[in-house]
Amino acid sequence: MKPSYFLLVILLIIQSAVVAQTRPVMGLRSHTPNVFALTNARIVVSPGNTINNGTLVIRDGLIEAVGTNIIPPADALVKDMKGKSVYSGFIDLWAETSVASKDAPQGAVHWNPQVRSWYDAASSFKYDEKSAEKLRSQGFVIANVVPSAGIFRGKSAVVTLGENTRSGNVIKPNVAQVMSYRKSRDLGGSYPASLMGTISLIRQTFYDADWYERARFAYSDNSNSQMRPEINLALAALLDAGKGRQPVIFEANDEIDFLKSFSIAREFGLNLWMKGSGHEYRRLQAIKDTGVPVIVPLNFPSLPDVEAPEQAMSMSLQNLRHWDLAPENPARLVESGITIAFTATGTESNQPFYEQVKKAVERGLAREDALAALTVIPARLLGIDNLYGSLHKGMAACFIVASSNLFNAETKIEEVWIEGIQYENDKPALASPRGKWALKSDELDNPVINISGTESRLRGVIEKDNRKIILNTVKFDNHRVSIVFQGDSLGHNGIIRLSASFSENELYGIGEMPDGRFFNWKASRSDGFTEPAKESKQSLAKSELKMLYPSMEYGLEEKPQMPENILIKNATIWTQGPLGKIENADMLVSKGKIAEVGKNLQARRNAVVIDATGKHVTPGLIDPHLHSNIRGGVNEVGNNMTPETRVSDVLESDNIWIYRLLAGGLTTGNLLHGSANPVGGQDAVVKMRWGSLPDEMLLQGASPGLKLALGENVVRNPDQYPNTRMGAEQIIRDAFQAAKDYIREWEKWEDGNRAVPPRKDLQMEALVEVLNGKRIIHAHAYRQDEMLMLIRLAEELGFKIASFEHTLEGYKVADKLREHGAAAIVWTDWSSFKVEAADGILGNAKTLLERGVLTSLHSDDTQLATRMNWEAGKLLATGVEEIEAMNLITINPARIIGADHMIGSLEPGKHADFVIWSGYPMSGFTHAEQTWIEGRKYFDRVEDLENRKKVQAERALLIQKAARHKSSASQEKSVSADNHSW
């Protein structure tokens, strides 16, 4: 809204005299007093500190006095605020701006256009009245303006939302470094192309910033001994953030992003703030443990459309739960002791921010906590609480005037004051034709026109002798009114049209009768229009749901219990160890590990005893090559060499496929980077611990791996080297030669032969681990010639290939694989789906096993991974013996991933990862009845059948709740329509 008329002159004075101290005055100087006294108001000085019937005195944009029994100064303009409430204005900690943020960078900036830490919102800020007005209408007076482009977006700035000079709006520049996991595609750059690449770029950039500072200092003292380090404004801009002196705000898309951001902040010692997602309640304890302040959006989901059965059927339980629980997110965060502030960003346009605040209060957020999240907390975080965030003497006059208590349902924000300038929110409506008009015309016998409806959709009737004729159309364009109606009831057969010029209380115009005759008419307003009272909206009851982890179908209320002792009796036990397969045997588990396997074992005290008569028990199945549960892309295709990327950075723990894998008996998987790059990324060995956080899924103690890839996949991109299989060999060679050079550079520096320290290169660090035997290689390969090439190259460079993935032509070079020590990870019957897979045979696994090659099955497909026992069963038809077939999905993959000292067989001391099968485990008619990981039962078929009923019942509960609320809203709309009727 524009400033009210009586303040226009004062506004100009303040702009020249108070803000623009360095700008020359144009014309005559003015000394008109700029003093106001707001009397008889309810003044909320700060949360929990209220003055009733108080006075607020403002002079030159500052609060001169606040309290009771204050006599307004003689030069003050006095405003009686009886019945009104005055609060400190709101502060938005995350207000995005795209102004100038996408300008092409010039000069000594970062090589990657997504790294814009040099960008400064303060110097590029441009006041936009439309955006400012939108925030002001919701009560905001101050905003922390954040750049919106890039991964490293640049530095935020705190600005006022009043009309001012550009420099005058900026309160505080260079507030925080702003970061996002969302790449801005219009900035260009091929890398990163995945979330794991984005995280790697973030980590490398912070390491580079640390190196940059040290390198520049070292060079300044020894400028003649080495080549000068580059000048890089992006890295220089990160120095304060990297030392924890400047906050870093990460934008999270969900609670998993939140926790990953905290992991990055902990690695580099960052002073972290989080721009949340509204999903924080789903992992409340983990977020509380970070101790990080959260900028909370009030992006509560709209009411689900569940009126039709098919619509309800397509709504997932996860989304239904979020609709029910999201409005309680702010309250739950505060109750957990987490510091929060609010942002209007993310609030849907049809759900105004201020109304969403009220909804959060309805759903349990204390009013004082809501006010604090809008005022004192963001002011304190931004370091401006000496002037903003409360209404004490000497502070800036930034406040709002509300019609009553701020969080009452019917309360409106009527005025917003910014540094002593008043902006009206609820200005009187423009003159409207709504109301009753006494029409005078001989042709129509002086009826009454009653116009109602909304400003955007007018309607009405003509009333005459207790008759009501509905108007066909009513149109108004601020100057003229047009009316069309059926004239039959007034004795004129046909359509009558009226048109008139409009003033607030009179209409003058012409009309046309059905026979074409024109006539003059006029009307005077006989009664104004009163908006019908709105029915109070029905509050949505607090959620009755229990928290589930994850918050979706089959989520757990708590981590599965670990009985101290478990005894499984009378089973056929496949140990996959020296004892082989034992009939009618027992297995004792103690504290999550296998204690004994044998016959006639005695139960220990308080042991859980499972009678497995007629059933089979095997180790938990292991898939050594899987791509499931990876967020934001399996391949980082932005570069041909990406060993810096880590699958562990992008684990998706809230994925229903984890539960489905457990239902198929799979307990462990090796999640691999894709095969688009000759040198890919680092893998992650995970346990399928359903309900856990991503880092809790990791299997500690397995051998870390690195993915290489050969063949057709890596030469698909015509714009990126390599384009041939020969090129793939050369780039792998080049990478490892560079890693050897990298080792020598560090050795020279550590020996004192270099002043400037080497840069920590995450790509090289991973390759050095391979050369030092601390990281193993898993190489995607189909053809024998390429496997031989990589074996020879690895032996030349001094490392080993731990496994070849897919290995379709492994049977052709089995002896070479055995001699090198490379394992073969194979499919049972996948082949001929592309040219390089044409020579696959069903006997591949059998041949490899006979030639002494460590061999394993894999899925390379999440759905296939749910039935690995069937895959092993297929090999029985090729002549593979049953114990060896079971080895292919248990102990052999455990050996390949370097975890056979923990998992893969049922031997004393190993993890109690096991599956109880309904029958012979490699039969297509068999299913997993129970799946245990480390002595905790993560899947139970009987419980699963019961859980299906619970899922159905919870869905029905939420659908009914949504339907009732929808019905209530429809009734309110109907009542409102009735109030507009004639």
Side-chain angles (χ1 to χ4, degrees):
M1 302 293 178
K2 295 294 183 183
S4 56
Y5 177 77
F6 78 94
L7 288 177
L8 281 175
V9 174
I10 296 174
L11 171 62
L12 296 174
I13 295 168
I14 291 176
Q15 287 181 338
S16 62
V18 177
V19 177
Q21 291 95 340
T22 59
R23 175 177 290 185
V25 175
M26 303 297 291
L28 297 176
R29 289 173 171 79
S30 175
H31 299 283
T32 305
N34 176 28
V35 188
F36 305 92
L38 280 59
T39 62
N40 303 316
R42 175 177 171 270
I43 303 172
V44 181
V45 177
S46 60
N49 182 5
T50 301
I51 299 171
N52 292 311
N53 198 31
T55 297
L56 184 71
V57 178
I58 306 159
R59 184 181 296 276
D60 295 331
L62 297 176
I63 297 173
E64 183 175 90
V66 58
T68 57
N69 302 319
I70 294 175
I71 299 174
D75 57 348
L77 176 62
V78 179
K79 295 191 69 177
D80 187 354
M81 309 300 285
K82 187 172 183 178
K84 311 295 184 185
S85 293
V86 178
Y87 296 81
S88 181
F90 303 162
I91 301 173
D92 193 331
L93 269 181
W94 182 279
E96 290 189 1
T97 177
S98 59
V99 176
S101 64
K102 296 170 186 175
D103 292 346
Q106 302 291 329
V109 294
H110 201 271
W111 63 269
N112 192 306
Q114 301 293 331
V115 180
R116 299 170 58 82
S117 47
W118 49 268
Y119 180 78
D120 182 3
S123 63
S124 303
F125 175 76
K126 182 179 179 181
Y127 178 80
D128 177 61
E129 170 59 19
K130 185 176 180 181
S131 298
E133 180 183 341
K134 184 177 179 181
L135 283 172
R136 284 199 307 262
S137 70
Q138 299 299 311
F140 288 99
V141 297
I142 303 289
N144 183 38
V145 176
V146 299
S148 63
I151 294 170
F152 286 80
R153 293 183 170 184
K155 294 169 282 190
S156 70
V158 181
V159 303
T160 70
L161 298 173
E163 291 178 303
N164 238 317
T165 62
R166 185 183 308 179
S167 61
N169 281 97
V170 177
I171 297 172
K172 186 176 181 180
N174 198 21
V175 172
Q177 279 287 344
V178 180
M179 306 192 63
S180 173
Y181 294 111
R182 291 183 291 121
K183 177 180 177 179
S184 299
R185 298 197 178 279
D186 50 358
L187 289 176
S190 59
Y191 178 88
S194 67
L195 179 58
M196 72 173 87
T198 297
I199 293 172
S200 296
L201 176 65
I202 290 171
R203 295 179 63 242
Q204 183 65 72
T205 304
F206 275 117
Y207 276 121
D208 287 350
D210 175 67
W211 165 82
Y212 181 79
E213 182 180 36
R214 293 184 294 110
R216 297 297 302 175
F217 276 125
Y219 179 75
S220 65
D221 293 336
N222 298 273
S223 58
N224 296 323
S225 61
Q226 280 183 260
M227 183 179 293
R228 64 173 176 82
E230 66 180 88
I231 295 294
N232 190 310
L233 300 180
L235 299 181
L238 287 172
L239 295 182
D240 284 341
K243 298 295 183 183
R245 296 190 293 259
Q246 181 183 50
V248 175
I249 311 177
F250 269 91
E251 180 185 28
N253 297 308
D254 56 25
E255 70 278 18
I256 303 304
D257 277 356
F258 190 116
L259 298 174
K260 174 49 62 178
S261 302
F262 177 69
S263 176
I264 294 171
R266 185 171 50 189
E267 180 178 1
F268 295 99
L270 307 180
N271 175 14
L272 179 66
W273 301 354
M274 284 303 307
K275 192 270 184 176
S277 63
H279 294 87
E280 289 74 29
Y281 68 91
R282 300 199 301 208
R283 292 291 182 177
L284 203 54
Q285 185 59 50
I287 286 174
K288 176 183 177 181
D289 291 344
T290 67
V292 171
V294 187
I295 304 169
V296 181
L298 302 183
N299 50 348
F300 307 147
S302 300
L303 185 68
D305 192 350
V306 295
E307 289 183 302
E310 62 271 18
Q311 292 172 317
M313 189 182 301
S314 65
M315 184 72 65
S316 71
L317 180 60
Q318 185 178 32
N319 288 339
L320 286 169
R321 287 178 64 87
H322 183 55
W323 163 74
D324 192 40
L325 289 164
E328 297 175 19
N329 186 52
R332 295 186 181 209
L333 287 167
V334 172
E335 288 167 4
S336 296
I338 298 167
T339 299
I340 70 168
F342 289 143
T343 176
T345 300
T347 306
E348 296 182 19
S349 58
N350 63 337
Q351 297 176 328
F353 168 80
Y354 177 45
E355 297 302 318
Q356 298 295 77
V357 176
K358 294 178 183 178
K359 185 181 291 187
V361 171
E362 286 179 0
R363 296 293 293 273
L365 181 65
R367 296 184 175 204
E368 288 186 0
D369 291 327
L371 183 59
L374 290 163
T375 55
V376 292
I377 291 175
R380 185 180 73 244
L381 289 172
L382 293 171
I384 58 173
D385 51 328
N386 61 321
L387 279 175
Y388 304 95
S390 56
L391 300 178
H392 295 285
K393 179 180 178 180
M395 301 188 76
C398 292
F399 57 88
I400 60 177
V401 177
S403 59
S404 62
N405 189 297
L406 187 59
F407 301 108
N408 289 347
E410 72 283 356
T411 298
K412 299 293 183 184
I413 297 174
E414 297 180 346
E415 300 175 16
V416 176
W417 291 63
I418 300 178
E419 295 181 334
I421 306 300
Q422 178 199 27
Y423 297 84
E424 292 180 302
N425 257 3
D426 275 356
K427 294 201 302 187
L430 295 173
S432 167
R434 293 186 297 172
K436 289 187 176 182
W437 299 85
L439 187 147
K440 293 182 179 181
S441 168
D442 294 336
E443 297 287 344
L444 298 181
D445 198 18
N446 302 333
V448 171
I449 302 176
N450 188 352
I451 301 176
S452 58
T454 64
E455 294 287 359
S456 60
R457 189 175 181 181
L458 295 171
R459 52 192 174 185
V461 296
I462 284 186
E463 302 172 353
K464 178 66 177 176
D465 299 332
N466 297 321
R467 289 173 292 163
K468 292 185 178 181
I469 307 166
I470 297 177
L471 302 179
N472 291 8
T473 60
V474 184
K475 294 183 179 179
F476 176 56
D477 65 359
N478 292 327
H479 301 288
R480 295 193 68 78
V481 176
S482 301
I483 298 171
V484 178
F485 63 94
Q486 191 75 30
D488 300 56
S489 296
L490 296 179
H492 304 282
N493 187 23
I495 297 293
I496 298 175
R497 295 182 294 163
L498 304 178
S499 177
S501 60
F502 169 80
S503 64
E504 187 168 356
N505 294 306
E506 291 183 302
L507 297 173
Y508 294 92
I510 61 170
E512 184 181 3
M513 300 300 288
D515 60 7
R517 288 182 297 112
F518 288 90
F519 62 94
N520 296 321
W521 67 280
K522 65 180 180 178
S524 57
R525 192 188 290 272
S526 60
D527 195 4
F529 177 79
T530 303
E531 288 278 2
K534 293 184 178 179
E535 296 290 322
S536 59
K537 293 183 179 179
Q538 181 188 35
S539 297
L540 198 61
K542 289 191 72 172
S543 177
E544 302 173 13
L545 301 179
K546 295 180 179 179
M547 283 308 303
L548 298 179
Y549 305 97
S551 184
M552 61 190 300
E553 294 84 350
Y554 307 103
L556 305 176
E557 291 183 30
E558 60 183 2
K559 187 176 183 179
Q561 297 297 311
M562 179 194 288
E564 186 170 359
N565 296 296
I566 306 166
L567 180 62
I568 300 168
K569 296 182 65 67
N570 305 320
T572 299
I573 299 180
W574 301 60
T575 68
Q576 304 315 116
L579 296 179
K581 185 173 73 170
I582 314 173
E583 305 283 350
N584 298 317
D586 307 332
M587 183 170 72
L588 181 64
V589 173
S590 181
K591 297 180 180 178
K593 292 190 176 181
I594 298 168
E596 295 181 70
V597 179
K599 295 193 175 186
N600 302 316
L601 301 182
Q602 297 300 309
R604 296 182 180 178
R605 185 178 179 182
N606 298 325
V608 173
V609 179
I610 301 173
D611 185 359
T613 302
K615 306 183 190 305
H616 291 243
V617 177
T618 70
L621 306 188
I622 303 169
D623 190 337
H625 184 123
L626 194 58
H627 300 295
S628 65
N629 313 317
I630 297 176
R631 296 158 54 86
V634 169
N635 282 290
E636 173 47 66
V637 297
N639 196 353
N640 52 22
M641 190 175 84
T642 57
E644 75 280 9
T645 61
R646 306 186 300 187
V647 172
S648 60
D649 286 330
V650 289
L651 294 179
E652 176 59 84
S653 58
D654 295 356
N655 188 321
I656 193 62
W657 279 103
I658 297 174
Y659 184 75
R660 292 169 179 164
L661 293 170
L662 288 165
L666 195 80
T667 57
T668 303
N670 188 21
L671 308 186
L672 294 173
H673 185 282
S675 55
N677 320 71
V679 182
Q682 303 169 34
D683 62 10
V685 179
V686 300
K687 293 278 191 85
M688 302 301 165
R689 299 180 180 118
W690 178 237
S692 300
L693 291 167
D695 288 351
E696 294 170 344
M697 291 181 66
L698 292 169
L699 174 57
Q700 304 298 333
S703 297
L706 182 69
K707 179 75 175 290
L708 302 186
L710 309 172
E712 179 262 344
N713 286 19
V714 303
V715 297
R716 286 178 178 173
N717 188 346
D719 300 320
Q720 181 173 281
Y721 182 89
N723 299 128
T724 65
R725 296 169 189 267
M726 294 179 291
E729 175 189 7
Q730 290 306 308
I731 200 166
I732 293 171
R733 178 189 298 276
D734 180 75
F736 281 100
Q737 291 288 8
K740 291 188 174 186
D741 293 341
Y742 180 74
I743 293 171
R744 284 191 286 271
E745 286 299 311
W746 276 97
E747 289 173 346
K748 290 177 182 178
W749 182 73
E750 289 166 354
D751 291 340
N753 296 324
R754 291 284 188 272
V756 177
R759 165 180 168 266
K760 182 173 183 176
D761 187 327
L762 295 180
Q763 287 191 342
M764 295 296 107
E765 292 286 326
L767 298 177
V768 168
E769 288 178 348
V770 173
L771 293 173
N772 291 339
K774 295 180 180 179
R775 184 173 296 278
I776 61 177
I777 291 291
H778 302 293
H780 164 107
Y782 289 78
R783 289 179 12 180
Q784 60 164 331
D785 54 342
E786 292 185 318
M787 288 184 264
L788 290 174
M789 175 276 291
L790 191 59
I791 286 173
R792 292 164 182 157
L793 180 61
E795 291 174 349
E796 174 190 339
L797 294 172
F799 63 91
K800 281 191 174 183
I801 307 300
S803 69
F804 283 102
E805 312 295 305
H806 316 316
T807 330
L808 262 79
E809 296 185 11
Y811 64 93
K812 297 181 181 180
V813 288
D815 292 340
K816 294 295 184 183
L817 297 178
R818 183 191 66 248
E819 291 168 7
H820 180 75
I825 295 176
V826 302
W827 286 299
T828 54
D829 51 8
W830 283 27
S831 68
S832 304
F833 49 85
K834 56 181 176 178
V835 173
E836 66 180 0
D839 279 1
I841 63 171
L842 289 174
N844 190 28
K846 186 174 187 298
T847 301
L848 289 163
L849 289 169
E850 289 174 344
R851 305 305 285 270
V853 178
L854 176 59
T855 305
S856 165
L857 290 178
H858 73 308
S859 71
D860 197 24
D861 177 89
T862 305
Q863 190 176 75
L864 185 63
T866 64
R867 52 182 187 272
M868 292 302 291
N869 58 316
W870 294 1
E871 293 299 297
K874 291 179 186 179
L875 291 180
L876 299 179
T878 69
V880 175
E881 186 268 332
E882 65 173 6
I883 296 296
E884 197 67 74
M886 182 58 70
N887 283 343
L888 295 176
I889 54 175
T890 55
I891 189 63
N892 285 8
R895 289 170 178 152
I896 292 171
I897 62 176
D900 53 308
H901 59 293
M902 299 180 287
I903 59 174
S905 61
L906 302 179
E907 300 179 72
K910 288 194 174 184
H911 296 183
D913 295 1
F914 61 91
V915 186
I916 301 176
W917 301 92
S918 61
Y920 186 74
M922 287 181 284
S923 166
F925 297 97
T926 295
H927 55 257
E929 292 193 346
Q930 295 181 10
T931 303
W932 294 69
I933 297 177
E934 294 163 0
R936 301 178 190 271
K937 185 171 60 176
Y938 279 89
F939 176 80
D940 186 306
R941 187 173 176 82
V942 174
E943 293 175 1
D944 174 78
L945 295 174
E946 289 300 315
N947 285 336
R948 295 180 197 184
K949 297 177 184 177
K950 292 180 181 179
V951 169
Q952 184 177 0
E954 189 169 278
R955 281 179 53 82
L957 173 73
L958 291 169
I959 288 169
Q960 285 293 308
K961 186 174 185 178
R964 284 194 302 271
H965 199 65
K966 181 82 170 179
S967 175
S968 172
S970 297
Q971 290 173 7
E972 289 178 5
K973 191 176 292 185
S974 175
V975 169
S976 178
D978 289 343
N979 289 335
H980 282 81
S981 64
W982 35 87

